[in-house]
Amino acid sequence: MALLSWLFGTKPKSASVAKERLQLIIAHERSGPSPADFLPALQRELVAVISKYVRVSEQDIKVNLEKQGNMEVLEVNIVLPEAGARG
């Protein structure tokens, strides 16, 4: 019987599909680090990497995470020094 279901495909009930999706969303929210946990570390690492090429301070780099609908957008703003101040 399982073979027939696999061959001809039976549609799962929409309630069960919705329940599975909700469980995945909840699991993702519980398991993932919150933005407050990784954004400061990300900002420090960006300063370290960019400092290899240009002189920047931690105040020159701003990292922001915001939700837009069902997406999360990571925004990074970097203030670079004038051309003569590089190095």
Side-chain angles (χ1 to χ4, degrees):
M1 193 64 147
L3 179 61
L4 291 176
S5 296
W6 181 76
L7 286 175
F8 297 111
T10 57
K11 285 181 96 176
K13 303 283 186 210
S14 61
S16 65
V17 171
K19 180 181 175 182
E20 288 177 20
R21 289 180 181 168
L22 182 59
Q23 288 173 338
L24 287 173
I25 291 170
I26 291 171
H28 173 71
E29 292 292 323
R30 288 181 181 167
S31 67
S34 70
D37 293 341
F38 74 85
L39 286 182
L42 178 62
Q43 185 169 349
R44 286 189 300 276
E45 290 177 21
L46 285 170
V47 169
V49 170
I50 294 171
S51 293
K52 293 179 181 180
Y53 304 98
V54 237
R55 189 172 300 146
V56 293
S57 68
E58 203 164 315
Q59 292 78 26
D60 295 331
I61 297 177
K62 301 293 181 210
V63 180
N64 186 29
L65 183 70
E66 60 184 53
K67 290 192 178 221
Q68 294 180 354
N70 62 348
M71 297 185 305
E72 291 182 343
V73 177
L74 178 66
E75 179 182 6
V76 179
N77 290 310
I78 304 169
V79 178
L80 296 174
E82 296 296 320
R86 293 182 183 175

